[in-house]
Amino acid sequence: SRLLEGDLFLEKYSSAEAAPLYREVLERNPRHPRALLGLARAKAFDGTDEALVLTDSSLAVNPHSPEARAFRAQLLLGLEDFVGAEAEAKRALEVNPASLDALAVLGATLYLRGDRRGYDDARRRALELNPAFGGFDRTVADMAVQQRRYREAVELARAALQVDSLNWAAHALVGLTELRLGDAAAA
């Protein structure tokens, strides 16, 4: 239950409350793959360099975890390692072809590399699995923001809202990105 509590805190943007819960699990089992991945996510949220090391530790225990592979792909994409990110996303999809997170990171990688056909295919696959998955476009928008492609990020976040009008992370992303573009009224 500590893992689920930690996940909930991270979902609600509170890494300070999530990290101790993951550490509590790791005190009992230092090689618990989900706790290592949860702590990696908390560290990534905080912007520390430990996220990739912890993700790799999780994968050393369970190399077939699609969640860890998809998260590693996201971290690599943030480092602008497009080749590595694509390879990790594809490895996650080999294990679980229905991994929406892996499809989203793959789509983001292809979008940022300019492979529109590949991006469209990944988006189509994700929406076939879940027609209400606004997380695909939101993930691509998040990664576009990291690349300072703000206008595209706003369009992508709005696409997420067309798929899921209750995607509050996409609403927030539209507002924050509009502020970055200097349009306070739209924000």
Side-chain angles (χ1 to χ4, degrees):
S1 83
R2 290 296 194 209
L3 293 172
L4 295 175
E5 288 177 53
D7 293 347
L8 180 62
F9 279 121
L10 265 186
E11 186 178 314
K12 299 302 176 191
Y13 305 108
S14 181
S15 65
E17 293 178 274
L21 295 168
Y22 296 125
R23 282 193 195 97
E24 185 179 323
V25 174
L26 291 169
E27 285 174 11
R28 284 180 274 163
N29 179 359
R31 293 180 38 86
H32 194 290
R34 281 197 53 225
L36 288 164
L37 182 59
L39 189 56
R41 287 183 170 145
K43 294 296 183 178
F45 181 84
D46 293 339
T48 70
D49 295 336
E50 297 172 76
L52 191 56
V53 171
L54 286 163
T55 303
D56 288 345
S57 295
S58 176
L59 285 166
V61 177
N62 181 5
H64 303 293
S65 168
E67 295 85 10
R69 292 272 172 218
F71 187 66
R72 188 170 198 283
Q74 185 176 342
L75 292 173
L76 292 174
L77 187 54
L79 296 171
E80 298 184 23
D81 179 355
F82 299 111
V83 173
E86 182 176 352
E88 285 295 336
K90 286 181 176 179
R91 286 180 78 181
L93 290 167
E94 287 172 8
V95 175
N96 179 3
S99 171
L100 294 173
D101 290 337
L103 282 168
V105 176
L106 178 62
T109 303
L110 297 170
Y111 181 89
L112 294 172
R113 287 180 49 195
D115 181 350
R116 187 60 185 223
R117 180 175 287 160
Y119 159 78
D120 288 339
D121 181 59
R123 186 175 192 273
R124 177 193 52 75
R125 287 170 53 197
L127 293 177
E128 282 176 358
L129 290 167
N130 181 353
F133 182 57
F136 182 92
D137 293 308
R138 194 206 69 241
T139 297
V140 180
D142 279 333
M143 301 315 292
V145 165
Q146 288 187 22
Q147 298 291 315
R148 294 160 304 286
R149 293 166 70 165
Y150 301 124
R151 293 201 189 288
E152 294 168 74
V154 168
E155 292 173 22
L156 290 159
R158 285 193 174 128
L161 293 172
Q162 289 176 349
V163 173
D164 176 9
S165 64
L166 299 178
N167 187 321
W168 302 115
H171 279 286
L173 188 57
V174 168
L176 289 171
T177 308
E178 288 286 10
L179 283 175
R180 285 184 173 113
L181 291 168
D183 192 347

